[in-house]
Amino acid sequence: MNTTILPEQEIPMDNNDGVPSEFDDGKMRNISSFDIVSEMKIGWNLGNSLDAEGPTETHWGNPVTTKAMIDAVANRGFKTIRIPVTWRFHQGASPDYTVSKAWFDRVEEVVNYARANNMYVILNTHHEDTWIIPTYAKADEVKNRLSKLWTQIATRFQNYSDYLIFETLNEPRYENTPQEWTGGTAEGRDVVNQYHQVSLDAIRATGGNNSLRHIMISTYAASTLPAAINALKIPNNDDRAIVSLHSYFPFPFTLAGTDTTWGTDSDKQALDNEMDKIKAKFIDNGIPVVLGEWSSGNLNNLSDRVTHASYYANAAAQRGMPSVWWDNGKIGVSNDDLGIFNRRNITWAFDDIADVIIKAYQ
């Protein structure tokens, strides 16, 4: 079923000097991160748009994000939207690394599309791996810039309510190294912890609502491998920190495109084991988790994708973890075509997948 939603008027900004009261009441509720996570439920990523590695959000081929798009996502039943943002193309040089006002205005405009729908919003730093390099040699330079970036982001969004969640890093890792996707080295994992620390400290230092804001912290490369999850340190043992993990499980089926079938008893048991591992490490020890990315590529195997999506979302929901589908806007036939929502005509290209993952959290 394709559901078409007609475009609506864009949301006007309110002088870009704070929170437009009609979109966000600015209230920080006295609730725990577990309470926040229980309300986030099922989410959707605005992938390959504001996080495109270029000067505009259309650089990777997706259309300009509109209110009609976000309305459609909210009206379909998604409670959370993750807005990945790449900042480096809009930052000035050292020592201030000033983010341009135009880029902040645009990011805030998209945040307000979601907040107008009363959605939870995850706002992060994404595709910054060219400079967020987790080595001791680079650490001081990176920490200085990270601190200045997060100070600016936190200041800009300081008056938003706790429906806005900051995610300090996306998949922090040393690109093009043998350990990039295998949990990193001891040095890399240590430095990633340092980067989270400086980011969280910068956010908290801006005060106001940010002193109580819920903040997502990722493992090395957001990996669920034992080396990564065992090394993660929550900065200051902050009680408003949420662990951010990306579990494209199993990889051969979800991303690699080397296995187009899923759904045997052993497939389900392996996925249960993955979810139980995460729960035992974090949730059972009082640390909430958000599965910030997961999905599967389209290889003309819709039935298996629906079976996998349903089982995955239900497994996450049963263990108290919201999950956020990675949608890169690509609607085609390849292992990299992860879109379920067609942003160009505002229709659900894979409504069956949307249906089962939303129902898992109802």
Side-chain angles (χ1 to χ4, degrees):
M1 178 180 70
N2 282 344
T3 305
T4 303
I5 298 91
L6 296 176
E8 297 182 19
Q9 185 178 359
E10 301 296 297
I11 294 180
M13 295 302 297
D14 184 19
N15 300 321
N16 304 311
D17 59 358
V19 180
S21 60
E22 62 266 42
F23 308 138
D24 189 295
D25 62 14
K27 293 181 180 178
M28 302 295 287
R29 296 161 293 170
N30 184 26
I31 60 177
S32 71
S33 290
F34 270 107
D35 293 329
I36 290 281
V37 162
S38 70
E39 293 184 357
M40 292 172 70
K41 300 184 183 297
I42 187 66
W44 180 86
N45 272 277
L46 181 67
N48 287 22
S49 286
L50 295 177
D51 58 315
E53 294 189 68
T56 68
E57 67 185 278
T58 61
H59 184 73
W60 276 346
N62 277 321
V64 170
T65 303
T66 65
K67 181 177 183 292
M69 294 178 193
I70 307 307
D71 287 350
V73 173
N75 291 337
R76 189 64 185 80
F78 289 89
K79 303 300 182 184
T80 295
I81 184 166
R82 184 169 177 256
I83 303 177
V85 179
T86 299
W87 303 89
R88 58 189 162 100
F89 296 97
H90 312 278
Q91 274 189 289
S94 62
D96 298 324
Y97 300 107
T98 302
V99 177
S100 75
K101 181 179 183 298
W103 189 241
F104 262 134
D105 290 351
R106 177 56 181 154
V107 172
E108 186 168 2
E109 186 174 35
V110 176
V111 168
N112 285 336
Y113 296 161
R115 289 299 302 122
N117 284 286
N118 204 36
M119 301 176 83
Y120 277 97
V121 178
I122 301 166
L123 187 64
N124 78 353
T125 62
H126 209 95
H127 294 139
E128 309 286 357
D129 307 291
T130 58
W131 66 273
I132 301 181
I133 300 170
T135 63
Y136 293 136
K138 288 285 188 179
D140 287 345
E141 175 187 345
V142 173
K143 285 190 283 188
N144 175 54
R145 183 170 174 178
L146 258 180
S147 180
K148 289 177 177 176
L149 176 56
W150 270 113
T151 296
Q152 293 176 75
I153 298 170
T155 299
R156 177 64 184 239
F157 292 95
Q158 182 178 36
N159 296 320
Y160 275 75
S161 71
D162 51 23
Y163 278 83
L164 177 64
I165 297 165
F166 292 149
E167 181 182 32
T168 51
L169 301 170
N170 171 49
E171 293 173 348
R173 64 195 190 279
Y174 196 170
E175 286 190 310
N176 302 316
T177 61
Q179 299 84 13
E180 181 178 4
W181 299 113
T182 60
T185 63
E187 174 183 349
R189 295 187 293 268
D190 179 34
V191 176
V192 164
N193 284 330
Q194 294 180 38
Y195 291 169
H196 287 310
Q197 177 82 58
V198 75
S199 300
L200 187 143
D201 287 347
I203 293 166
R204 293 283 184 246
T206 61
N209 285 356
N210 290 329
S211 63
L212 296 173
R213 191 165 306 286
H214 300 267
I215 299 173
M216 288 168 57
I217 306 292
S218 57
T219 58
Y220 189 98
S223 171
T224 66
L225 291 172
I229 63 176
N230 291 334
L232 182 66
K233 295 181 179 178
I234 303 299
N236 308 326
N237 291 316
D238 196 294
D239 64 1
R240 295 201 171 205
I242 300 166
V243 170
S244 174
L245 299 173
H246 299 173
S247 182
Y248 291 91
F249 189 94
F251 184 75
F253 176 81
T254 59
L255 286 185
T258 56
D259 185 354
T260 61
T261 63
W262 194 92
T264 66
D265 287 345
S266 61
D267 287 339
K268 294 174 181 177
Q269 185 60 59
L271 196 148
D272 280 331
N273 292 343
E274 168 78 351
M275 294 292 181
D276 286 340
K277 175 184 68 178
I278 296 168
K279 179 177 180 291
K281 177 62 182 179
F282 296 113
I283 296 172
D284 291 350
N285 288 298
I287 302 170
V289 172
V290 169
L291 298 174
E293 289 186 20
W294 70 287
S295 62
S296 63
N298 176 36
L299 294 171
N300 285 325
N301 56 340
L302 180 59
S303 177
D304 291 86
R305 294 179 76 207
V306 170
T307 299
H308 172 266
S310 177
Y311 199 89
Y312 189 110
N314 276 282
Q318 290 162 10
R319 292 163 177 82
M321 295 182 284
S323 58
V324 189
W325 181 275
W326 177 258
D327 191 317
N328 60 7
K330 295 183 178 182
I331 309 293
V333 182
S334 83
N335 58 303
D336 191 41
D337 287 285
L338 306 171
I340 58 173
F341 176 61
N342 190 322
R343 304 179 200 178
R344 296 191 180 279
N345 59 20
I346 321 293
T347 60
W348 290 94
F350 292 98
D351 197 65
D352 290 345
I353 293 177
D355 190 52
V356 296
I357 64 178
I358 290 165
K359 284 183 176 178
Y361 287 87
Q362 291 175 341

